[in-house]
Structures are given as structure tokens and as C-alpha cells.
CSV table of all heavy atoms in Angstrom, one decimal:
chain,number,residue,atom,x,y,z
A,1,ILE,N,0.9,-1.2,0.0
A,1,ILE,CA,0.0,0.0,0.0
A,1,ILE,C,0.9,1.2,0.0
A,1,ILE,O,1.9,1.3,0.8
A,1,ILE,CB,-0.9,0.0,1.2
A,1,ILE,CG1,-1.7,-1.3,1.3
A,1,ILE,CG2,-1.9,1.2,1.2
A,1,ILE,CD1,-2.6,-1.6,0.1
A,2,VAL,N,0.6,2.2,-0.9
A,2,VAL,CA,1.4,3.4,-1.0
A,2,VAL,C,0.5,4.6,-0.9
A,2,VAL,O,-0.8,4.5,-1.1
A,2,VAL,CB,2.1,3.4,-2.3
A,2,VAL,CG1,3.1,2.3,-2.4
A,2,VAL,CG2,1.1,3.4,-3.5
A,3,ASP,N,1.1,5.8,-0.7
A,3,ASP,CA,0.3,7.0,-0.7
A,3,ASP,C,0.4,7.6,-2.1
A,3,ASP,O,1.0,7.0,-3.0
A,3,ASP,CB,0.8,8.0,0.4
A,3,ASP,CG,2.3,8.4,0.2
A,3,ASP,OD1,2.9,8.2,-0.8
A,3,ASP,OD2,2.8,9.0,1.2
A,4,GLU,N,0.0,8.9,-2.3
A,4,GLU,CA,0.0,9.5,-3.6
A,4,GLU,C,1.4,9.8,-4.1
A,4,GLU,O,1.6,10.0,-5.3
A,4,GLU,CB,-0.8,10.8,-3.6
A,4,GLU,CG,-0.3,11.9,-2.8
A,4,GLU,CD,-0.6,11.8,-1.3
A,4,GLU,OE1,-1.3,10.9,-0.9
A,4,GLU,OE2,-0.2,12.7,-0.5
A,5,ASN,N,2.4,9.7,-3.2
A,5,ASN,CA,3.8,9.9,-3.6
A,5,ASN,C,4.5,8.6,-3.9
A,5,ASN,O,5.7,8.5,-4.2
A,5,ASN,CB,4.6,10.7,-2.6
A,5,ASN,CG,4.0,12.1,-2.4
A,5,ASN,OD1,3.7,12.8,-3.4
A,5,ASN,ND2,3.8,12.5,-1.1
A,6,LEU,N,3.7,7.5,-3.8
A,6,LEU,CA,4.2,6.1,-3.9
A,6,LEU,C,5.2,5.8,-2.8
A,6,LEU,O,6.0,4.9,-2.9
A,6,LEU,CB,4.8,5.9,-5.3
A,6,LEU,CG,3.8,6.0,-6.4
A,6,LEU,CD1,4.5,5.6,-7.8
A,6,LEU,CD2,2.6,5.1,-6.2
A,7,GLN,N,5.0,6.4,-1.6
A,7,GLN,CA,5.8,6.0,-0.4
A,7,GLN,C,5.0,4.9,0.2
A,7,GLN,O,3.8,5.0,0.4
A,7,GLN,CB,5.9,7.2,0.5
A,7,GLN,CG,6.9,6.9,1.6
A,7,GLN,CD,7.4,8.1,2.4
A,7,GLN,OE1,6.9,9.2,2.2
A,7,GLN,NE2,8.3,7.9,3.3
A,8,VAL,N,5.7,3.8,0.5
A,8,VAL,CA,5.0,2.6,1.1
A,8,VAL,C,4.5,3.0,2.5
A,8,VAL,O,5.3,3.6,3.3
A,8,VAL,CB,6.0,1.4,1.2
A,8,VAL,CG1,5.4,0.2,1.8
A,8,VAL,CG2,6.5,1.1,-0.3
A,9,LEU,N,3.3,2.5,2.8
A,9,LEU,CA,2.7,2.7,4.1
A,9,LEU,C,2.8,1.5,5.0
A,9,LEU,O,2.8,0.4,4.5
A,9,LEU,CB,1.2,3.1,4.0
A,9,LEU,CG,0.9,4.3,3.1
A,9,LEU,CD1,-0.6,4.5,3.0
A,9,LEU,CD2,1.6,5.5,3.5
A,10,ASN,N,3.0,1.7,6.3
A,10,ASN,CA,3.0,0.6,7.2
A,10,ASN,C,1.6,0.1,7.6
A,10,ASN,O,0.6,0.6,7.0
A,10,ASN,CB,3.9,0.9,8.5
A,10,ASN,CG,3.2,2.0,9.3
A,10,ASN,OD1,2.0,2.3,9.2
A,10,ASN,ND2,4.0,2.7,10.2
A,11,GLN,N,1.5,-0.8,8.5
A,11,GLN,CA,0.2,-1.4,8.9
A,11,GLN,C,-0.7,-0.4,9.5
A,11,GLN,O,-1.9,-0.5,9.5
A,11,GLN,CB,0.4,-2.6,9.8
A,11,GLN,CG,1.0,-3.8,9.0
A,11,GLN,CD,1.1,-5.0,9.9
A,11,GLN,OE1,1.2,-4.9,11.1
A,11,GLN,NE2,1.2,-6.2,9.3
A,12,GLU,N,-0.2,0.7,10.1
A,12,GLU,CA,-1.0,1.8,10.6
A,12,GLU,C,-1.3,2.8,9.6
A,12,GLU,O,-2.0,3.8,10.0
A,12,GLU,CB,-0.2,2.4,11.8
A,12,GLU,CG,-0.1,1.5,13.1
A,12,GLU,CD,0.9,0.4,12.9
A,12,GLU,OE1,2.0,0.7,12.4
A,12,GLU,OE2,0.7,-0.7,13.3
A,13,GLY,N,-0.9,2.6,8.4
A,13,GLY,CA,-1.2,3.6,7.3
A,13,GLY,C,-0.3,4.8,7.3
A,13,GLY,O,-0.6,5.8,6.7
A,14,LYS,N,0.9,4.7,8.0
A,14,LYS,CA,1.8,5.8,8.0
A,14,LYS,C,3.0,5.5,7.1
A,14,LYS,O,3.4,4.4,6.9
A,14,LYS,CB,2.3,6.0,9.4
A,14,LYS,CG,1.2,6.3,10.4
A,14,LYS,CD,1.7,7.1,11.6
A,14,LYS,CE,0.7,7.3,12.7
A,14,LYS,NZ,-0.5,7.9,12.2
A,15,PRO,N,3.5,6.6,6.4
A,15,PRO,CA,4.6,6.4,5.4
A,15,PRO,C,5.9,5.8,6.2
A,15,PRO,O,6.2,6.2,7.3
A,15,PRO,CB,4.9,7.8,4.9
A,15,PRO,CG,3.7,8.5,5.2
A,15,PRO,CD,3.0,8.0,6.4
A,16,ILE,N,6.5,4.8,5.5
A,16,ILE,CA,7.8,4.3,6.0
A,16,ILE,C,8.9,5.2,5.4
A,16,ILE,O,9.0,5.3,4.2
A,16,ILE,CB,7.9,2.8,5.6
A,16,ILE,CG1,6.8,2.0,6.1
A,16,ILE,CG2,9.3,2.3,6.0
A,16,ILE,CD1,6.8,0.5,5.6
A,17,PRO,N,9.7,5.8,6.3
A,17,PRO,CA,10.7,6.7,5.8
A,17,PRO,C,11.7,6.1,4.8
A,17,PRO,O,12.2,5.0,5.1
A,17,PRO,CB,11.4,7.1,7.1
A,17,PRO,CG,10.4,6.9,8.2
A,17,PRO,CD,9.6,5.7,7.8
A,18,GLY,N,11.8,6.7,3.7
A,18,GLY,CA,12.8,6.3,2.7
A,18,GLY,C,12.4,5.1,1.8
A,18,GLY,O,13.2,4.6,1.0
A,19,LEU,N,11.2,4.6,2.0
A,19,LEU,CA,10.7,3.4,1.2
A,19,LEU,C,9.6,3.8,0.2
A,19,LEU,O,8.5,4.2,0.6
A,19,LEU,CB,10.2,2.3,2.1
A,19,LEU,CG,9.9,1.0,1.5
A,19,LEU,CD1,11.0,0.4,0.7
A,19,LEU,CD2,9.3,0.0,2.5
A,20,TYR,N,10.0,3.7,-1.1
A,20,TYR,CA,9.1,4.0,-2.1
A,20,TYR,C,9.0,2.8,-3.0
A,20,TYR,O,9.9,1.9,-3.0
A,20,TYR,CB,9.6,5.2,-3.0
A,20,TYR,CG,9.6,6.5,-2.2
A,20,TYR,CD1,10.7,6.8,-1.3
A,20,TYR,CD2,8.6,7.4,-2.3
A,20,TYR,CE1,10.7,7.9,-0.6
A,20,TYR,CE2,8.6,8.6,-1.6
A,20,TYR,CZ,9.7,8.9,-0.7
A,20,TYR,OH,9.7,10.0,0.0
A,21,ALA,N,7.9,2.7,-3.8
A,21,ALA,CA,7.7,1.5,-4.6
A,21,ALA,C,7.2,2.0,-6.0
A,21,ALA,O,6.5,3.0,-6.1
A,21,ALA,CB,6.8,0.5,-4.0
A,22,ALA,N,7.5,1.2,-7.0
A,22,ALA,CA,7.0,1.5,-8.4
A,22,ALA,C,6.8,0.1,-9.1
A,22,ALA,O,7.4,-0.9,-8.7
A,22,ALA,CB,8.0,2.4,-9.1
A,23,GLY,N,6.1,0.2,-10.2
A,23,GLY,CA,5.9,-1.0,-11.0
A,23,GLY,C,4.8,-2.0,-10.5
A,23,GLY,O,3.9,-1.6,-9.8
A,24,GLU,N,5.0,-3.2,-10.8
A,24,GLU,CA,4.0,-4.2,-10.5
A,24,GLU,C,3.8,-4.4,-9.0
A,24,GLU,O,2.7,-4.8,-8.6
A,24,GLU,CB,4.4,-5.6,-11.1
A,24,GLU,CG,3.3,-6.6,-11.2
A,24,GLU,CD,3.6,-7.8,-12.1
A,24,GLU,OE1,4.6,-7.8,-12.8
A,24,GLU,OE2,2.8,-8.7,-12.0
A,25,ILE,N,4.8,-4.1,-8.2
A,25,ILE,CA,4.7,-4.3,-6.7
A,25,ILE,C,3.6,-3.4,-6.2
A,25,ILE,O,3.0,-3.6,-5.1
A,25,ILE,CB,6.0,-4.1,-6.0
A,25,ILE,CG1,6.0,-4.5,-4.6
A,25,ILE,CG2,6.4,-2.6,-6.1
A,25,ILE,CD1,5.9,-6.0,-4.4
A,26,VAL,N,3.2,-2.3,-6.9
A,26,VAL,CA,2.1,-1.4,-6.5
A,26,VAL,C,1.0,-1.4,-7.5
A,26,VAL,O,0.3,-0.4,-7.7
A,26,VAL,CB,2.6,0.0,-6.2
A,26,VAL,CG1,3.3,0.1,-4.9
A,26,VAL,CG2,3.4,0.6,-7.3
A,27,ASN,N,0.7,-2.5,-8.1
A,27,ASN,CA,-0.3,-2.5,-9.2
A,27,ASN,C,-1.7,-2.7,-8.7
A,27,ASN,O,-2.7,-2.9,-9.5
A,27,ASN,CB,0.0,-3.5,-10.3
A,27,ASN,CG,-0.2,-4.9,-9.9
A,27,ASN,OD1,-0.4,-5.2,-8.7
A,27,ASN,ND2,-0.2,-5.8,-10.9
A,28,ALA,N,-2.0,-2.7,-7.4
A,28,ALA,CA,-3.4,-2.8,-6.9
A,28,ALA,C,-4.2,-1.6,-7.4
A,28,ALA,O,-5.4,-1.6,-7.3
A,28,ALA,CB,-3.4,-2.9,-5.4
A,29,VAL,N,-3.5,-0.6,-7.9
A,29,VAL,CA,-4.2,0.6,-8.5
A,29,VAL,C,-5.1,0.1,-9.6
A,29,VAL,O,-6.0,0.9,-10.0
A,29,VAL,CB,-3.3,1.7,-8.9
A,29,VAL,CG1,-2.5,2.2,-7.8
A,29,VAL,CG2,-2.3,1.2,-10.0
A,30,HIS,N,-4.9,-1.0,-10.2
A,30,HIS,CA,-5.6,-1.5,-11.4
A,30,HIS,C,-6.9,-2.2,-10.9
A,30,HIS,O,-7.7,-2.5,-11.8
A,30,HIS,CB,-4.8,-2.5,-12.2
A,30,HIS,CG,-3.6,-2.0,-12.7
A,30,HIS,ND1,-3.4,-0.8,-13.4
A,30,HIS,CD2,-2.3,-2.5,-12.7
A,30,HIS,CE1,-2.2,-0.6,-13.7
A,30,HIS,NE2,-1.5,-1.6,-13.4
A,31,GLY,N,-7.2,-2.4,-9.6
A,31,GLY,CA,-8.4,-3.1,-9.2
A,31,GLY,C,-8.1,-4.6,-9.3
A,31,GLY,O,-7.1,-5.1,-8.9
A,32,ASP,N,-9.1,-5.3,-9.9
A,32,ASP,CA,-8.9,-6.8,-9.9
A,32,ASP,C,-8.7,-7.3,-11.3
A,32,ASP,O,-8.9,-8.5,-11.6
A,32,ASP,CB,-10.2,-7.4,-9.3
A,32,ASP,CG,-11.5,-7.1,-10.0
A,32,ASP,OD1,-11.4,-6.4,-11.0
A,32,ASP,OD2,-12.5,-7.6,-9.6
A,33,ASP,N,-8.3,-6.5,-12.2
A,33,ASP,CA,-7.9,-6.9,-13.6
A,33,ASP,C,-7.0,-5.9,-14.2
A,33,ASP,O,-6.9,-4.8,-13.8
A,33,ASP,CB,-9.2,-7.1,-14.4
A,33,ASP,CG,-9.0,-8.0,-15.6
A,33,ASP,OD1,-7.9,-8.5,-15.8
A,33,ASP,OD2,-10.0,-8.1,-16.4
A,34,SER,N,-6.3,-6.3,-15.3
A,34,SER,CA,-5.5,-5.4,-16.0
A,34,SER,C,-5.6,-5.7,-17.5
A,34,SER,O,-5.7,-6.9,-17.9
A,34,SER,CB,-4.1,-5.4,-15.5
A,34,SER,OG,-3.5,-6.6,-15.8
A,35,SER,N,-5.5,-4.7,-18.3
A,35,SER,CA,-5.6,-4.9,-19.8
A,35,SER,C,-4.2,-5.1,-20.3
A,35,SER,O,-3.2,-4.7,-19.7
A,35,SER,CB,-6.2,-3.7,-20.4
A,35,SER,OG,-7.4,-3.4,-19.9
A,36,PRO,N,-4.0,-5.7,-21.5
A,36,PRO,CA,-2.7,-5.9,-22.1
A,36,PRO,C,-2.0,-4.6,-22.2
A,36,PRO,O,-2.6,-3.6,-22.7
A,36,PRO,CB,-3.0,-6.5,-23.4
A,36,PRO,CG,-4.3,-7.2,-23.3
A,36,PRO,CD,-5.1,-6.4,-22.3
A,37,GLY,N,-0.8,-4.5,-21.8
A,37,GLY,CA,0.0,-3.3,-21.9
A,37,GLY,C,-0.1,-2.3,-20.8
A,37,GLY,O,0.7,-1.4,-20.6
A,38,MET,N,-1.1,-2.5,-19.9
A,38,MET,CA,-1.4,-1.6,-18.8
A,38,MET,C,-0.2,-1.6,-17.9
A,38,MET,O,0.1,-0.5,-17.4
A,38,MET,CB,-2.7,-2.1,-18.1
A,38,MET,CG,-3.0,-1.2,-16.9
A,38,MET,SD,-4.4,-1.9,-16.0
A,38,MET,CE,-5.8,-1.0,-16.7
A,39,ASN,N,0.4,-2.7,-17.6
A,39,ASN,CA,1.5,-2.7,-16.6
A,39,ASN,C,2.7,-2.1,-17.1
A,39,ASN,O,3.5,-1.5,-16.3
A,39,ASN,CB,1.8,-4.2,-16.1
A,39,ASN,CG,0.7,-4.6,-15.2
A,39,ASN,OD1,0.1,-3.9,-14.4
A,39,ASN,ND2,0.4,-5.9,-15.2
A,40,VAL,N,2.9,-2.1,-18.4
A,40,VAL,CA,4.1,-1.4,-19.0
A,40,VAL,C,3.9,0.1,-18.7
A,40,VAL,O,4.8,0.8,-18.2
A,40,VAL,CB,4.2,-1.7,-20.5
A,40,VAL,CG1,5.3,-0.8,-21.1
A,40,VAL,CG2,4.5,-3.1,-20.7
A,41,ALA,N,2.7,0.7,-19.1
A,41,ALA,CA,2.5,2.1,-18.8
A,41,ALA,C,2.6,2.4,-17.4
A,41,ALA,O,3.1,3.4,-17.0
A,41,ALA,CB,1.1,2.5,-19.4
A,42,TRP,N,2.0,1.5,-16.5
A,42,TRP,CA,2.1,1.8,-15.1
A,42,TRP,C,3.5,1.7,-14.6
A,42,TRP,O,3.9,2.5,-13.7
A,42,TRP,CB,1.2,0.7,-14.3
A,42,TRP,CG,1.4,0.9,-12.8
A,42,TRP,CD1,1.9,-0.1,-12.0
A,42,TRP,CD2,1.0,2.0,-12.0
A,42,TRP,NE1,1.9,0.4,-10.7
A,42,TRP,CE2,1.4,1.7,-10.7
A,42,TRP,CE3,0.5,3.3,-12.3
A,42,TRP,CZ2,1.2,2.6,-9.6
A,42,TRP,CZ3,0.3,4.1,-11.2
A,42,TRP,CH2,0.6,3.8,-9.9
A,43,GLY,N,4.3,0.9,-15.1
A,43,GLY,CA,5.7,0.8,-14.7
A,43,GLY,C,6.5,2.1,-15.0
A,43,GLY,O,7.2,2.7,-14.1
A,44,PHE,N,6.2,2.7,-16.2
A,44,PHE,CA,6.9,4.0,-16.5
A,44,PHE,C,6.3,5.1,-15.6
A,44,PHE,O,7.1,5.9,-15.1
A,44,PHE,CB,6.6,4.3,-18.0
A,44,PHE,CG,7.4,3.5,-18.9
A,44,PHE,CD1,6.8,2.9,-20.0
A,44,PHE,CD2,8.8,3.3,-18.8
A,44,PHE,CE1,7.5,2.1,-20.9
A,44,PHE,CE2,9.5,2.5,-19.7
A,44,PHE,CZ,8.8,1.9,-20.7
A,45,THR,N,5.0,5.2,-15.5
A,45,THR,CA,4.4,6.3,-14.8
A,45,THR,C,4.7,6.2,-13.3
A,45,THR,O,5.1,7.2,-12.7
A,45,THR,CB,2.8,6.2,-15.0
A,45,THR,OG1,2.6,6.3,-16.3
A,45,THR,CG2,2.2,7.3,-14.2
């Protein structure tokens, strides 16, 4: 789970200092499905 800056949140929902995530590890933004090519665009963004 991340905030709008992609900083990883702990179990209490607070940012973990210095820990950011990108790519497939934070793809829950897609909901419960993804379209072909979606993860490539998400990785870059």
C-alpha cells in the first residue's frame, strides 16, 4: 500500500521513511484486472 507519492505505508497507514515503490509491486491501483500493456504504462508512470 502506498500514498499519492508512492511512499510505502506501514500497517498503521503511516509512510515508512525512505521506502518508495513502483511498477508491478504497487499495481493494486488496477483493481482486480488489467488490460494488455497496462502494466508497462504503469511501470513507466
